[in-house]
mmCIF file of all heavy atoms in Angstrom:
data_model
loop_
_atom_site.group_PDB
_atom_site.id
_atom_site.type_symbol
_atom_site.label_atom_id
_atom_site.label_comp_id
_atom_site.label_asym_id
_atom_site.label_seq_id
_atom_site.Cartn_x
_atom_site.Cartn_y
_atom_site.Cartn_z
ATOM 1 N N LEU A 70 155.297 78.542 -68.673
ATOM 2 C CA LEU A 70 155.447 77.500 -67.677
ATOM 3 C C LEU A 70 154.852 77.923 -66.341
ATOM 4 O O LEU A 70 154.525 77.100 -65.585
ATOM 5 C CB LEU A 70 156.933 77.104 -67.455
ATOM 6 C CG LEU A 70 157.617 76.316 -68.474
ATOM 7 C CD1 LEU A 70 159.107 76.249 -68.131
ATOM 8 C CD2 LEU A 70 157.039 74.869 -68.402
ATOM 9 N N LEU A 71 154.707 79.217 -66.212
ATOM 10 C CA LEU A 71 154.407 79.780 -64.878
ATOM 11 C C LEU A 71 153.127 79.188 -64.192
ATOM 12 O O LEU A 71 153.246 78.673 -63.078
ATOM 13 C CB LEU A 71 154.167 81.315 -65.055
ATOM 14 C CG LEU A 71 154.667 82.114 -63.878
ATOM 15 C CD1 LEU A 71 156.098 81.896 -63.521
ATOM 16 C CD2 LEU A 71 154.480 83.598 -64.237
ATOM 17 N N ALA A 72 152.080 79.220 -64.879
ATOM 18 C CA ALA A 72 150.828 78.720 -64.313
ATOM 19 C C ALA A 72 150.866 77.255 -63.927
ATOM 20 O O ALA A 72 150.488 76.864 -62.807
ATOM 21 C CB ALA A 72 149.625 78.970 -65.252
ATOM 22 N N GLY A 73 151.308 76.418 -64.843
ATOM 23 C CA GLY A 73 151.413 74.989 -64.592
ATOM 24 C C GLY A 73 152.406 74.599 -63.522
ATOM 25 O O GLY A 73 152.141 73.754 -62.647
ATOM 26 N N PHE A 74 153.569 75.237 -63.534
ATOM 27 C CA PHE A 74 154.680 74.850 -62.631
ATOM 28 C C PHE A 74 154.574 75.512 -61.309
ATOM 29 O O PHE A 74 154.970 74.966 -60.216
ATOM 30 C CB PHE A 74 155.987 75.076 -63.330
ATOM 31 C CG PHE A 74 157.207 74.571 -62.517
ATOM 32 C CD1 PHE A 74 157.309 73.244 -62.232
ATOM 33 C CD2 PHE A 74 158.126 75.456 -62.159
ATOM 34 C CE1 PHE A 74 158.454 72.775 -61.582
ATOM 35 C CE2 PHE A 74 159.322 74.985 -61.444
ATOM 36 C CZ PHE A 74 159.394 73.672 -61.144
ATOM 37 N N ALA A 75 154.043 76.731 -61.265
ATOM 38 C CA ALA A 75 153.927 77.544 -60.007
ATOM 39 C C ALA A 75 155.142 77.521 -59.156
ATOM 40 O O ALA A 75 155.158 77.056 -58.036
ATOM 41 C CB ALA A 75 152.738 76.968 -59.182
ATOM 42 N N PRO A 76 156.224 78.119 -59.717
ATOM 43 C CA PRO A 76 157.566 78.075 -58.957
ATOM 44 C C PRO A 76 157.476 78.989 -57.752
ATOM 45 O O PRO A 76 156.711 79.969 -57.706
ATOM 46 C CB PRO A 76 158.511 78.559 -60.011
ATOM 47 C CG PRO A 76 157.749 79.486 -60.867
ATOM 48 C CD PRO A 76 156.327 78.852 -60.964
ATOM 49 N N ALA A 77 158.262 78.581 -56.715
ATOM 50 C CA ALA A 77 158.392 79.411 -55.550
ATOM 51 C C ALA A 77 159.448 80.514 -55.789
ATOM 52 O O ALA A 77 159.355 81.605 -55.355
ATOM 53 C CB ALA A 77 158.807 78.586 -54.346
ATOM 54 N N ALA A 78 160.427 80.148 -56.651
ATOM 55 C CA ALA A 78 161.495 81.025 -56.976
ATOM 56 C C ALA A 78 161.843 81.009 -58.415
ATOM 57 O O ALA A 78 161.701 79.909 -59.009
ATOM 58 C CB ALA A 78 162.739 80.814 -56.131
ATOM 59 N N ILE A 79 162.279 82.075 -58.967
ATOM 60 C CA ILE A 79 162.719 82.133 -60.392
ATOM 61 C C ILE A 79 164.092 82.644 -60.427
ATOM 62 O O ILE A 79 164.371 83.786 -59.973
ATOM 63 C CB ILE A 79 161.768 82.931 -61.247
ATOM 64 C CG1 ILE A 79 160.340 82.334 -61.200
ATOM 65 C CG2 ILE A 79 162.258 83.026 -62.683
ATOM 66 C CD1 ILE A 79 159.297 83.077 -61.957
ATOM 67 N N LEU A 80 165.021 81.909 -60.982
ATOM 68 C CA LEU A 80 166.393 82.311 -61.191
ATOM 69 C C LEU A 80 166.459 82.726 -62.642
ATOM 70 O O LEU A 80 166.420 81.795 -63.532
ATOM 71 C CB LEU A 80 167.373 81.161 -60.913
ATOM 72 C CG LEU A 80 167.948 80.943 -59.614
ATOM 73 C CD1 LEU A 80 168.706 79.610 -59.556
ATOM 74 C CD2 LEU A 80 168.913 82.035 -59.271
ATOM 75 N N ALA A 81 166.606 83.978 -62.913
ATOM 76 C CA ALA A 81 166.508 84.413 -64.316
ATOM 77 C C ALA A 81 167.718 85.273 -64.735
ATOM 78 O O ALA A 81 168.157 86.139 -64.047
ATOM 79 C CB ALA A 81 165.228 85.216 -64.516
ATOM 80 N N ASP A 82 168.238 84.957 -65.897
ATOM 81 C CA ASP A 82 169.247 85.697 -66.495
ATOM 82 C C ASP A 82 168.689 87.108 -66.912
ATOM 83 O O ASP A 82 167.486 87.128 -67.288
ATOM 84 C CB ASP A 82 169.763 84.962 -67.776
ATOM 85 C CG ASP A 82 171.159 85.555 -68.202
ATOM 86 O OD1 ASP A 82 171.814 86.186 -67.378
ATOM 87 O OD2 ASP A 82 171.520 85.305 -69.419
ATOM 88 N N VAL A 83 169.519 88.091 -66.786
ATOM 89 C CA VAL A 83 168.958 89.407 -67.205
ATOM 90 C C VAL A 83 168.820 89.528 -68.660
ATOM 91 O O VAL A 83 167.784 89.891 -69.247
ATOM 92 C CB VAL A 83 169.793 90.553 -66.588
ATOM 93 C CG1 VAL A 83 169.311 91.862 -67.131
ATOM 94 C CG2 VAL A 83 169.719 90.551 -65.096
ATOM 95 N N ARG A 84 169.931 89.153 -69.383
ATOM 96 C CA ARG A 84 169.955 89.304 -70.808
ATOM 97 C C ARG A 84 169.569 88.042 -71.543
ATOM 98 O O ARG A 84 170.258 87.025 -71.319
ATOM 99 C CB ARG A 84 171.300 89.716 -71.297
ATOM 100 C CG ARG A 84 171.637 91.160 -70.898
ATOM 101 C CD ARG A 84 172.661 91.648 -71.847
ATOM 102 N NE ARG A 84 173.245 92.904 -71.301
ATOM 103 C CZ ARG A 84 174.280 93.512 -71.859
ATOM 104 N NH1 ARG A 84 174.851 93.003 -72.928
ATOM 105 N NH2 ARG A 84 174.671 94.663 -71.366
ATOM 106 N N MET A 85 168.503 88.106 -72.284
ATOM 107 C CA MET A 85 168.074 86.872 -73.003
ATOM 108 C C MET A 85 167.386 87.374 -74.249
ATOM 109 O O MET A 85 166.783 88.520 -74.310
ATOM 110 C CB MET A 85 167.104 86.104 -72.160
ATOM 111 C CG MET A 85 167.648 85.325 -71.065
ATOM 112 S SD MET A 85 166.453 84.395 -70.054
ATOM 113 C CE MET A 85 165.412 85.695 -69.417
ATOM 114 N N PRO A 86 167.408 86.532 -75.346
ATOM 115 C CA PRO A 86 166.629 86.988 -76.515
ATOM 116 C C PRO A 86 165.130 86.918 -76.196
ATOM 117 O O PRO A 86 164.710 86.304 -75.257
ATOM 118 C CB PRO A 86 167.074 85.922 -77.617
ATOM 119 C CG PRO A 86 167.502 84.806 -76.769
ATOM 120 C CD PRO A 86 168.029 85.315 -75.548
ATOM 121 N N ARG A 87 164.404 87.491 -77.118
ATOM 122 C CA ARG A 87 162.854 87.541 -77.048
ATOM 123 C C ARG A 87 162.391 88.332 -75.810
ATOM 124 O O ARG A 87 161.945 89.451 -75.955
ATOM 125 C CB ARG A 87 162.308 86.121 -77.060
ATOM 126 C CG ARG A 87 162.475 85.392 -78.456
ATOM 127 C CD ARG A 87 161.312 84.577 -78.808
ATOM 128 N NE ARG A 87 161.178 83.416 -77.827
ATOM 129 C CZ ARG A 87 160.095 82.611 -77.817
ATOM 130 N NH1 ARG A 87 159.164 82.816 -78.715
ATOM 131 N NH2 ARG A 87 160.055 81.567 -76.980
ATOM 132 N N MET A 88 162.506 87.691 -74.637
ATOM 133 C CA MET A 88 162.076 88.455 -73.406
ATOM 134 C C MET A 88 163.117 88.424 -72.396
ATOM 135 O O MET A 88 163.499 87.288 -71.917
ATOM 136 C CB MET A 88 160.762 87.896 -72.962
ATOM 137 C CG MET A 88 160.173 88.787 -71.774
ATOM 138 S SD MET A 88 158.813 87.990 -70.964
ATOM 139 C CE MET A 88 157.616 87.980 -72.224
ATOM 140 N N ASP A 89 163.634 89.605 -71.937
ATOM 141 C CA ASP A 89 164.678 89.535 -70.916
ATOM 142 C C ASP A 89 164.079 89.355 -69.533
ATOM 143 O O ASP A 89 162.878 89.271 -69.300
ATOM 144 C CB ASP A 89 165.439 90.904 -70.977
ATOM 145 C CG ASP A 89 164.566 92.078 -70.662
ATOM 146 O OD1 ASP A 89 163.927 92.018 -69.519
ATOM 147 O OD2 ASP A 89 164.491 93.028 -71.442
ATOM 148 N N GLY A 90 165.021 89.202 -68.567
ATOM 149 C CA GLY A 90 164.633 88.804 -67.225
ATOM 150 C C GLY A 90 163.743 89.866 -66.514
ATOM 151 O O GLY A 90 162.843 89.514 -65.878
ATOM 152 N N LEU A 91 164.000 91.128 -66.715
ATOM 153 C CA LEU A 91 163.258 92.201 -66.051
ATOM 154 C C LEU A 91 161.823 92.252 -66.509
ATOM 155 O O LEU A 91 160.868 92.411 -65.809
ATOM 156 C CB LEU A 91 163.915 93.478 -66.132
ATOM 157 C CG LEU A 91 165.272 93.577 -65.413
ATOM 158 C CD1 LEU A 91 165.890 94.990 -65.594
ATOM 159 C CD2 LEU A 91 165.158 93.287 -63.975
ATOM 160 N N THR A 92 161.673 92.035 -67.877
ATOM 161 C CA THR A 92 160.359 92.026 -68.459
ATOM 162 C C THR A 92 159.587 90.792 -67.927
ATOM 163 O O THR A 92 158.416 90.892 -67.601
ATOM 164 C CB THR A 92 160.398 92.011 -70.032
ATOM 165 O OG1 THR A 92 161.299 92.978 -70.453
ATOM 166 C CG2 THR A 92 159.053 92.215 -70.600
ATOM 167 N N LEU A 93 160.306 89.708 -67.808
ATOM 168 C CA LEU A 93 159.722 88.515 -67.284
ATOM 169 C C LEU A 93 159.115 88.724 -65.898
ATOM 170 O O LEU A 93 158.041 88.355 -65.565
ATOM 171 C CB LEU A 93 160.753 87.373 -67.205
ATOM 172 C CG LEU A 93 160.331 86.101 -66.490
ATOM 173 C CD1 LEU A 93 159.048 85.461 -67.135
ATOM 174 C CD2 LEU A 93 161.463 85.104 -66.361
ATOM 175 N N LEU A 94 159.950 89.451 -65.095
ATOM 176 C CA LEU A 94 159.511 89.683 -63.673
ATOM 177 C C LEU A 94 158.248 90.530 -63.693
ATOM 178 O O LEU A 94 157.281 90.205 -63.006
ATOM 179 C CB LEU A 94 160.701 90.560 -63.008
ATOM 180 C CG LEU A 94 160.385 91.192 -61.667
ATOM 181 C CD1 LEU A 94 159.792 90.249 -60.711
ATOM 182 C CD2 LEU A 94 161.663 91.782 -61.106
#
Side-chain angles (χ1 to χ4, degrees):
L70 281 172
L71 214 53
F74 185 60
I79 299 178
L80 267 172
D82 196 19
V83 174
R84 287 205 192 173
M85 289 179 294
R87 292 214 296 173
M88 186 191 291
D89 64 53
L91 294 180
T92 311
L93 169 62
L94 169 52

